[in-house]
Structures are given as C-alpha cells and as structure tokens.
Amino acid sequence: MTSVEEFRAEVRSWLRAHLTGGFAALKGLGGPGREHEAFAERLAWERHMAAHGWTCVGWPVEYGGRGASTEQQIAFHEEYALADAPARVNHIGEQLLGPTLIAHGTEEQRRRFLPPVRAVEELWCQGYSEPGAGSDLAGVRTRASLRGGAWVVDGQKTWTSLAHEAQWCFVLARTEPGSRRHAGLSYLLVPMDQEGVEVRPITQLTGTSEFNEVFFDAARTDASHIVGAPGGGWAVAMATLGFERGVSTLGQQVGFRRELEGLAELARSNGTMADPLIRDRLVRAWIGLETLRASALRPAADPSTAKLLWARWHRDLGELAMDVRGAAGLLATGAHGDPYELDDWQRLFLFSRSDTIYAGSDEIQRNIVAERILGLPKEVRA
C-alpha cells in the first residue's frame, strides 16, 4: 500500500508535470469571489485531471476513485493548494453529492450519477437555502409531490453557488403536506436544463455573481431521483453538510496561509509592520491558523466548531488586510477600465464578510454546539 509520503510525492510530481503550458496560466485563478475567472479553462483543466485519475481520489475504487485514506486525501488537497493550482469547478459534485450517493444512494443512482461527476461531465449545485430558510434549514418551504411517475417541484432557492453553470441540483423539498421542521423533507436530484427552472444571478459586493436565485415552477424529475426514503431527507442533507466540511478544508487552509504570508509581506513593504498593533494582529492570525489546522486534524472533529473557527478567522484577516493597506484600500482604481475594479485585498475583505453567513451562520452554529454538543437547554422558539 502506498504510504502517505509516497502518495504526496506522486501528487506533487504530477502537478509539476501537468500544470504547464496553457494550464500554467490558470495558477491562482478562481475561488470564492473569483469563480468567474477563466471558468471554461478551469473546467478543461479539471477534465484533464479526470482523464489522469486525479478527481474523486477519496472515493472507493469501485466508483472510480483511488480509495485514498483520509491522510492521503489531506496530502492531495495540501499539495494541490501548494502548487497554486486553479480553484476546482466540480467541488459540489465531487465533495458533496458523490459521497452522499455513496453513503445513502441506491446502486442505480450511483451508476447513473457518479461516472459523469468523476469525469467532470455534469456539474452540480446545492438547493438548500431559501429566502425564509437560510441557516435555519428546517424552515424549507419548497415543495414537491409525486405525479405521473415524477416529482414535481415548486419553490425558490437562494444563494445557490454556480447554479448558472450546473446541469443538476440536489434539492431539499417538503414532500409531506402539513409537515413541519425536520419532518417531511426529501432529498431530490433535479435537472437544471428544463422549462420549469429559472436561474437569476445575484450581484455581490465584489461586483461578481457566483450566487444565484433559483425558481422551480412545476420542475420535474424522475420518481427514482430521490436519495433516501420520502420524508427522510433531513438525515441525508445533514450527511451532505458533514462531507462539505471534510478534509478538503485542509487545502483551504493552505490558501489561507498564502494570504497571510502575502499580507505580512505587504506590511513589510509598505511600512505598516512598524505598527506594533499590526504586528500583534499578524502574530495572532498565525496562531489562529495553526489552531485551525490542529482542530481539523483531530479525530471526529465537530464540523460546526470548525466552521465557526475558520469563518471568523478569515473575516478577521480581511479586516486586517484593509488596515495594512491603509487609505489606499478605500479606492477601487479601475486600472483596466472597470470603475469598480478591486485588488485581491479588497476582494478578500468584501467577500469574507459572507464567510460567517453562508453554509450556516455563526449564530446557528453556536446553537448547534450549545444544544447538541454541550447539552445546554434549547433556544426558546415561537
């Protein structure tokens, strides 16, 4: 069996050999707030990875993966980030939908949906949040009913990442009329390219649009495209969230470290490192990042605690970046003709405001930690 270090060396060697030529220009592109960058080219890169067996490395071999251990997956994500390889376009399919189907889907669903995810031929988006049910996911109002051998879906989702690029969406919908909260929800796989689905991009503070509103108006999907039992979608949805906060966050932390190192270099070059308060905050940021890594490597680390830690750390880094930039950080220069053109530090500051909101707000995560882990009394609800 390949050791972790041998596996790491194999990943590093492959990236060094293939992230060249036209693909070399993709280094550092994409990611939160920057998903618009070279999307088609990054898609081609990821399909190149798939052709060489470097997508879905943690999936079991029988489903097209490499059966990589947790330690090997960590090595893969770290080496990918260290190589400054472009942000992945297939994260939702590979890291969320795929593991969910492996754990909770039928064999027929695995045969239908896993191969095109592994080959990066079908992209996915996540239909969870709604205008009245964001972090409080149990408040979902999108509804679906079985009619003529198909699920018919009506409702609205919002903050749906990359819905404008996706061919499929896994949708949490209420399928039992009169049900409340966690009961009566189902996890449906819905095609996006149909008359009953409308996608409206949401313009963000950064001026880009990677989030979307999605409207379902009698959208249809086959009756077999339900993961788990009808009405049992809450457990499946929670499993997906667990996968969302899995080992790939170690690669995310490599990106965080690169941002911190770049910010320290900026502080040295523009003289703000002479400010003892700036130095103190940079040191505290380094300590916080080490804490994130140690927490993520703990066996059975709690995903809600991890989300709280990294979201607040990254938001604080964005604020620190503006203080290091000083007055110059207040001006969008428009150097290439765009009157609202942001530099990397401005984009970090603006986009990281959302880190404590999406994927479960800080307030909701604290309730989860308090009630489910610490056993404190539940919050009073109307």
Side-chain angles (χ1 to χ4, degrees):
M1 182 176 180
T2 305
S3 71
V4 173
E5 287 310 311
E6 289 171 334
F7 186 82
R8 183 184 291 276
E10 184 182 358
V11 175
R12 186 184 304 133
S13 175
W14 188 87
L15 288 168
R16 187 182 299 119
H18 289 262
L19 200 53
T20 56
F23 290 139
L26 302 179
K27 288 185 177 182
L29 296 184
R34 301 168 58 193
E35 290 292 357
H36 62 288
E37 295 177 339
F39 190 89
E41 292 81 359
R42 287 161 49 216
L43 179 61
W45 158 251
E46 200 150 338
R47 287 173 174 167
H48 179 76
M49 291 177 61
H52 290 80
W54 286 111
T55 56
C56 309
V57 296
W59 290 12
V61 173
E62 59 265 35
Y63 297 121
R66 287 180 174 245
S69 66
T70 299
E71 292 77 11
Q72 288 173 328
Q73 292 177 63
I74 291 170
F76 173 83
H77 290 294
E78 289 183 336
E79 289 300 323
Y80 191 88
L82 287 167
D84 204 20
R88 304 287 295 276
V89 302
N90 194 31
H91 169 80
I92 295 174
E94 177 175 327
Q95 299 292 336
L96 279 66
L97 187 277
T100 300
L101 288 185
I102 292 170
H104 296 279
T106 65
E107 194 57 37
E108 179 184 4
Q109 289 169 345
R110 297 180 191 121
R111 287 197 303 269
R112 162 60 186 87
F113 292 109
L114 293 183
V117 170
R118 194 203 66 79
V120 202
E121 293 172 352
E122 290 179 346
L123 302 180
W124 286 78
C125 59
Q126 181 178 18
Y128 276 18
S129 294
E130 300 182 5
S135 293
D136 185 14
L137 190 57
V140 161
R141 294 182 181 178
T142 293
R143 61 192 185 278
S145 59
L146 268 178
R147 303 180 213 165
W151 290 102
V152 180
V153 185
D154 292 279
Q156 178 187 356
K157 298 293 180 178
T158 193
W159 309 119
T160 310
S161 299
L162 299 179
H164 58 296
E165 302 285 0
Q167 288 78 47
W168 287 85
C169 183
F170 49 92
V171 177
L172 193 62
R174 197 163 294 283
T175 54
E176 296 180 5
S179 62
R180 297 183 67 251
R181 305 298 299 165
H182 309 88
L185 298 170
S186 295
Y187 191 106
L188 306 176
L189 311 178
V190 181
M192 296 291 286
D193 186 14
Q194 58 172 301
E195 187 175 338
V197 177
E198 179 185 358
V199 177
R200 298 181 190 172
I202 299 171
T203 301
Q204 301 149 194
L205 282 172
T206 53
T208 57
S209 299
E210 65 190 54
F211 298 127
N212 303 269
E213 293 178 289
V214 181
F215 296 86
F216 298 100
D217 183 8
R220 300 175 68 86
T221 192
D222 191 82
S224 65
H225 292 169
I226 179 172
V227 183
W234 182 257
V236 182
M238 292 302 99
T240 301
L241 289 180
F243 293 126
E244 182 178 21
R245 300 163 188 167
V247 296
S248 62
T249 59
L250 272 298
Q252 175 193 53
Q253 290 174 26
V254 175
F256 288 171
R257 189 174 302 278
R258 186 179 292 113
E259 289 175 339
L260 177 57
E261 291 171 350
L263 188 57
E265 181 57 37
L266 176 62
R268 283 190 286 267
S269 65
N270 72 1
T272 52
M273 187 67 85
D275 184 336
L277 294 179
I278 293 292
R279 290 201 304 273
D280 179 74
R281 290 168 67 189
L282 285 166
V283 170
R284 288 177 182 273
W286 181 86
I287 293 170
L289 191 55
E290 292 299 306
T291 302
L292 288 181
R293 178 173 174 77
S295 177
L297 291 173
R298 285 184 301 132
D302 173 62
S304 290
T305 303
K307 172 61 170 57
L308 276 170
L309 289 172
W310 76 253
R312 292 178 63 81
W313 183 92
H314 201 222
R315 183 202 63 186
D316 291 348
L317 187 72
E319 294 178 354
L320 176 56
M322 287 298 94
D323 289 337
V324 170
R325 287 279 278 123
L330 300 176
L331 179 65
T333 61
H336 298 95
D338 183 347
Y340 192 65
E341 186 175 3
L342 305 173
D343 64 27
D344 289 343
W345 302 115
Q346 292 166 327
R347 189 180 292 110
L348 167 64
F349 168 70
L350 290 173
F351 196 88
S352 64
R353 311 307 296 172
S354 69
D355 286 346
T356 58
I357 302 172
Y358 72 79
S361 71
D362 277 15
E363 291 77 9
I364 294 296
Q365 300 306 323
R366 289 194 188 96
N367 281 354
I368 292 172
V369 171
E371 296 172 7
R372 302 183 190 176
I373 299 176
L374 302 178
L376 298 178
K378 291 193 174 183
E379 180 183 26
V380 177
R381 296 181 183 273

